[in-house]
Amino acid sequence: MLVEVFLAPFMEFAFMRRALLGYLLLAAGAAPVGVFLLLRRMTLAGEAVAHGILPGIAVAFVISGLSLFSLTLGGLAGGLVVALSATWMARRTLLREDATLATLYLLAVALGVLLISSHGRNVDLLHFLFGGILGLDDPTLQLLAAIAAVSIVAMTFLIRPLTFESVDPAFMRVVSGRGGLIHGGFMALVVLNLVAGFHALGTLLALGVMVLPAAAARLWSQRLSVIVALAVLGAWFGGFSGLLLSFHLDVPSGPSIVAAIGFLFVISLTFAPAGGLFGQGLARSPTAP
Amino acid sequence: MSCAIACQRLTLRYGRHVAVEALDAEFEAGSLTALVGPNGAGKSTLLEAIVSGTGTAEGRIECRDGERRSLAYLPQQPQIDRGFPISVQGLVAMGFWARLGAWQRLKRAEHNEMRRALEAVGLRSHATRPIASLSGGEFQRALFARIIVQQARLILLDEPFAAVDEETSRALQDIILRWHGEQRTVIVALHDLEIVRARFPGALWLDRIKLAHGRAEDVLREIERARSASGFPSRVHAHHDHEVASC
């Protein structure tokens, strides 16, 4: 019975195994990046960048159809454009960051949907918005593996400077003067992982594998290493159970995965000691004496 | 004694507002100077200018070779994310950045140094606690521990006693005097003249322009004299910013 429910789908169907493998790779790279996105209070920026990928992909799609290479390149370009323009607009105009992000987000979705639906079918649009994790081919799996490898290696080098820069950016400006470089490198990692997330979960849900596990994990610990480990484990658990859910109930897999991680988040919100609803609220009063 | 920092005809502005005007001042290497003056006198602006150099300013700030590279600066309200999941020793370890860079690990020497620093500020038992759990005074002590391990030759502190209790204030003053004994150059902006009288050898009285600079007792006597002459308790050259800008 247990084997039938939990293992048989993966043992019997290659597409389920590929989906699980692709997702585990994606989560291994994206969840740690998501932890810093959360800790740097940049989840909304992440959301805007995730949607910025869509028009980039759309342009690539119009030019060269469903080619993995050009879609990836287009997604990277779109995400970077939104990341850079968000920074630029927040610095150079009167608008606050939330307004610039919302503006870019809306424009990106509108532009992307317009481009894709005028040149493709509704199936293409749905594929781009919600991903195709059950249809991962070899090249896409290799791409996900490569992005995960780059992301993990980069994060091991970046984690200390990024931590310090997140805690006290002014201090880092005085002692190193490389705050911009650290931030830029991190944003590049965010875009890279969102593009990987797009291939599996689509642009609408790509951020889910980054932010939801991070938010859930944050509630359980005050130690960064523990939070990162919990985020990866939580993301993996969500992927595994989400895929099973999608298989047995015959519902779309991307949203199932995100919903499964969301379930973990609700559990954490309710029971976690370090800031949950019934916990002691350690994290909520950092300035109290 | 050689000069660590020299300001020459230094004028610093915030937009059209002149914060510091035509300041000539030299800070000897190894000196401990209290920077006093009313709110808005330009104390913080001056400290920031020493930290960042004088990109847009008029006049010059000259630092002795290497002084700016070996600098520790504690702003009045550090923009630190105190909810970030990092331990007290993690915060203090930031002070090793100049020596270890981004990737070198802390070795036993650094761990010992960190333990001594935490001991010096009275936070030895707090090393592994998250910074979110510290009180305001404890947090200021942790920041002082970070400065200790920075081993900077030039230390700039902006109102370090403003938000801490008396016991912590005295402990931090002891640490500042120890730095002075180790021949570091220290400049501290503060408004409590009693602390200046009790603990500081030198003082600079600033209110947009330099009003007095020298031994602390002489500067304090100047302040007393000006107070009794003007009738204003603290603000000698009472002026409004826009009037200054227009004249």
Side-chain angles (χ1 to χ4, degrees):
Chain A
M1 169 67 191
L2 279 179
V3 172
E4 238 160 64
V5 172
F6 291 105
L7 296 179
F10 298 107
M11 281 155 47
E12 278 173 38
F13 298 100
F15 74 88
M16 285 294 281
R17 284 198 295 277
R18 305 173 75 86
L20 186 63
L21 176 63
Y23 178 82
L24 295 182
L25 288 167
L26 168 69
V33 174
V35 169
F36 276 93
L37 207 54
L38 182 90
L39 291 176
R40 290 168 76 80
R41 296 160 198 217
M42 287 173 53
T43 51
L44 269 182
E47 183 74 25
V49 172
H51 291 296
I53 289 172
L54 189 63
I57 288 164
V59 170
F61 173 68
V62 169
I63 295 172
S64 55
L66 286 167
S67 133
L68 176 69
F69 179 74
S70 63
L71 288 181
T72 302
L73 217 61
L76 287 176
L80 286 174
V81 165
V82 167
L84 291 174
S85 22
T87 315
W88 181 81
M89 278 166 72
R91 283 199 189 144
R92 293 299 169 87
T93 69
L94 271 178
L95 294 175
R96 297 279 175 192
E97 202 180 16
D98 61 325
T100 64
L101 292 176
T103 314
L104 289 167
Y105 165 122
L106 289 164
L107 281 177
V109 173
L111 197 67
V113 171
L114 276 178
L115 274 171
I116 295 167
S117 34
S118 60
H119 286 82
R121 301 154 298 160
N122 271 341
V123 181
D124 299 321
L125 182 59
L126 277 180
H127 179 79
F128 290 147
L129 290 180
F130 295 106
I133 194 163
L134 296 183
L136 295 177
D137 54 11
D138 280 346
T140 311
L141 275 180
Q142 285 158 6
L143 179 75
L144 291 180
I147 290 180
V150 167
S151 186
I152 290 169
V153 170
M155 275 307 275
T156 53
F157 279 102
L158 216 65
I159 193 154
R160 188 148 60 145
L162 194 57
T163 301
F164 290 176
E165 218 267 335
S166 308
V167 175
D168 193 349
F171 178 84
M172 290 304 280
R173 260 200 305 282
V174 173
V175 298
S176 95
R178 299 218 187 89
L181 198 68
I182 297 167
H183 180 76
F186 175 66
M187 281 316 283
L189 275 185
V190 170
V191 174
L192 197 63
N193 277 289
L194 283 171
V195 170
F198 147 72
H199 285 300
L201 301 172
T203 59
L204 282 189
L205 295 175
L207 195 67
V209 67
M210 299 174 85
V211 168
L212 278 175
R218 178 70 187 91
L219 296 172
W220 288 97
S221 176
Q222 291 281 7
R223 289 183 54 189
L224 186 60
S225 49
V226 177
I227 294 172
V228 170
L230 285 178
V232 173
L233 290 176
W236 280 350
F237 173 82
F240 183 71
S241 43
L243 280 172
L244 285 176
L245 202 70
S246 141
F247 180 87
H248 291 300
L249 302 182
D250 195 21
V251 287
S253 43
S256 304
I257 292 172
V258 173
I261 313 173
F263 174 72
L264 277 186
F265 174 71
V266 173
I267 298 282
S268 309
L269 201 59
T270 317
F271 298 107
L277 291 178
F278 302 112
Q280 293 161 350
L282 282 176
R284 258 173 298 171
S285 51
T287 49
Chain B
M1 276 252 226
S2 64
C3 162
I5 306 167
C7 305
Q8 293 162 2
R9 306 297 297 166
L10 181 70
T11 297
L12 301 166
R13 293 171 206 277
Y14 266 123
R16 291 178 57 198
H17 165 61
V18 179
V20 173
E21 190 173 350
L23 175 71
D24 286 307
E26 292 189 348
F27 299 90
E28 300 287 334
S31 64
L32 169 57
T33 311
L35 191 54
V36 297
N39 291 335
K43 305 191 293 289
S44 302
T45 311
L46 176 61
L47 291 182
E48 274 163 27
I50 296 173
V51 172
S52 61
T54 54
T56 56
E58 296 161 36
R60 295 155 69 103
I61 300 180
E62 282 183 2
C63 286
R64 195 173 64 171
D65 241 13
E67 207 81 0
R68 190 175 284 138
R69 259 175 290 138
S70 173
L71 174 151
Y73 168 52
L74 185 59
Q76 185 172 4
Q77 282 165 333
Q79 303 291 317
I80 297 179
D81 180 1
R82 286 180 58 183
F84 196 95
I86 188 172
S87 65
V88 172
Q89 55 186 0
L91 180 79
V92 174
M94 291 175 75
F96 292 114
W97 179 276
R99 276 181 280 163
L100 296 184
W103 298 307
Q104 266 192 68
R105 294 183 68 87
L106 268 63
K107 289 177 279 296
R108 186 186 295 173
E110 282 86 24
H111 277 292
N112 287 338
E113 206 179 318
M114 181 150 70
R115 205 175 47 243
R116 281 197 300 274
L118 283 168
E119 224 164 67
V121 299
L123 286 183
R124 193 181 172 184
S125 57
H126 293 54
T128 55
R129 277 173 48 175
I131 58 170
S133 70
L134 296 185
S135 72
E138 288 167 341
F139 191 69
Q140 192 76 340
R141 287 168 185 258
L143 292 177
F144 264 65
R146 185 171 76 177
I147 298 175
I148 292 176
V149 304
Q150 274 187 275
Q151 296 197 352
R153 273 155 54 186
L154 173 61
I155 299 171
L156 308 173
L157 309 170
D158 197 351
E159 297 283 1
F161 319 122
V164 301
D165 60 49
E166 197 151 322
E167 192 195 335
T168 300
S169 172
R170 215 164 300 132
L172 299 182
Q173 291 162 31
D174 290 341
I175 291 167
I176 292 173
L177 286 175
R178 199 176 312 155
W179 287 331
H180 180 50
E182 293 164 353
Q183 295 296 308
R184 306 180 200 278
T185 312
V186 187
I187 307 175
V188 185
L190 75 171
H191 61 266
D192 188 334
L193 298 183
E194 286 316 307
I195 298 179
V196 179
R197 194 185 311 279
R199 317 295 299 258
F200 283 76
L204 167 62
W205 180 19
L206 186 71
D207 191 355
R208 187 173 56 86
I209 55 174
K210 179 174 81 176
L211 294 175
H213 187 189
R215 294 196 312 162
E217 49 192 297
D218 298 336
V219 172
L220 288 169
R221 201 173 304 123
E222 286 288 317
I223 295 176
E224 286 301 324
R225 194 177 303 152
R227 274 179 180 178
S228 51
S230 70
F232 285 106
S234 64
R235 189 146 185 139
V236 181
H237 283 241
H239 58 245
H240 295 289
D241 300 336
H242 57 270
E243 284 171 11
V244 174
S246 63
C247 62

